[in-house]
Amino acid sequence: MKTRDKIVHAALELFNEHGERNITTNHIAAHIEISPGNLYYHFRNKQEIVRDIFTLYSEELIERFTPIQGQQESLVMLKHYLDSIFTLMWKYRFFYANLPEILQRDNKLHDDYILVQEKLQINLINIMRAFVELELLTVEDEEMKSLVTTLHLIACSWLAYQSAMSPDSKITEQVVSQGMLQMINVVKPRATELGMEQLLLLEDGVKAIHA
């Protein structure tokens, strides 16, 4: 792995473990046993590292939430998207936990974030329409954007909400899974009989794995 990539991955690990605001470039350099000067050869400051992590996150986000093409079993599709939510929230948990603060201090990153989220919302609406066509959900077209926005809001703010409610608690996989269960609960009232069966299977799977 190239030094630049090592720096980014080390920063992600440390930010997740200790919080981004508590980690300096010196911490990152020491973690991978390079000099601060070597780190500054690749990145002028910590904010540039955060931007690189955001690039990795946004690429994975759009890839995971690009509507699946071709015939797929509906339960497989639901599980894929639910697993993607968990993976992203856990892998980039520092970003979800401190999103407003991170964006407020970097206008360019904030602009990039908005562009990515606009693209994501289009994909999410198309995914939701696919579930309606599969007769898993009953959602009128004019309600689609509102439902997607609610789910998106839970995903983006869940970890920050948990941190605010329990400031001394540590973000764990179980905390992330609780956010997933909250999203399932939001969708349940829109589910058809078939959709409810599959949502309950997914719910049981989340509870069993992350209990």
Side-chain angles (χ1 to χ4, degrees), residues 24-40:
T24 67
T25 50
N26 285 345
H27 290 130
I28 299 167
H31 189 69
I32 55 174
E33 300 180 340
I34 64 172
S35 69
N38 194 351
L39 184 146
Y40 287 124

Side-chain angles (χ1 to χ4, degrees), residues 47-58:
Q47 198 57 38
E48 287 193 350
I49 301 174
V50 172
R51 288 179 184 174
D52 263 38
I53 293 174
F54 173 74
T55 297
L56 292 177
Y57 161 74
S58 59

Side-chain angles (χ1 to χ4, degrees), residues 102-189:
I102 291 171
L103 296 179
Q104 283 170 5
R105 64 173 184 252
D106 189 332
N107 290 335
K108 182 183 184 306
L109 182 62
H110 202 164
D111 290 342
D112 290 344
Y113 176 83
I114 290 171
L115 289 174
V116 170
Q117 297 306 311
E118 287 174 348
K119 184 174 182 179
L120 173 65
Q121 187 174 67
I122 292 171
N123 285 357
L124 292 176
I125 289 173
N126 288 332
I127 289 169
M128 195 67 67
R129 284 185 177 136
F131 289 142
V132 171
E133 290 173 4
L134 289 167
E135 299 183 348
L136 299 177
L137 301 175
T138 302
V139 185
E140 298 298 327
D141 206 57
E142 61 269 19
E143 299 175 310
M144 198 77 69
K145 186 174 181 180
S146 176
L147 179 58
V148 164
T149 298
T150 299
L151 294 170
H152 189 199
L153 178 61
I154 294 170
C156 290
S157 62
W158 182 256
L159 296 185
Y161 169 75
Q162 292 297 318
S163 296
M165 295 300 291
S166 304
D168 296 326
S169 66
K170 185 179 177 64
I171 295 173
T172 63
E173 292 187 0
Q174 186 174 16
V175 170
V176 175
S177 70
Q178 289 168 354
M180 297 162 65
L181 294 173
Q182 187 69 24
M183 283 181 265
I184 290 175
N185 283 330
V186 168
V187 173
K188 277 181 180 178

Side-chain angles (χ1 to χ4, degrees), residues 55-111:
T55 297
L56 292 177
Y57 161 74
S58 59
E59 289 173 352
E60 188 170 356
L61 178 71
I62 296 303
E63 179 183 352
R64 286 180 175 274
F65 288 98
T66 295
I68 297 172
Q69 302 297 320
Q71 291 293 107
Q72 292 284 343
E73 290 185 17
S74 55
L75 187 59
V76 172
M77 290 175 63
L78 282 167
K79 189 174 186 304
H80 165 78
Y81 292 125
L82 198 64
D83 286 346
S84 293
I85 293 169
F86 176 83
T87 297
L88 290 165
M89 288 179 68
W90 179 248
K91 185 175 179 180
Y92 301 96
R93 55 194 178 275
F94 87 92
F95 194 70
Y96 283 91
N98 298 290
L99 182 61
E101 178 186 337
I102 291 171
L103 296 179
Q104 283 170 5
R105 64 173 184 252
D106 189 332
N107 290 335
K108 182 183 184 306
L109 182 62
H110 202 164
D111 290 342

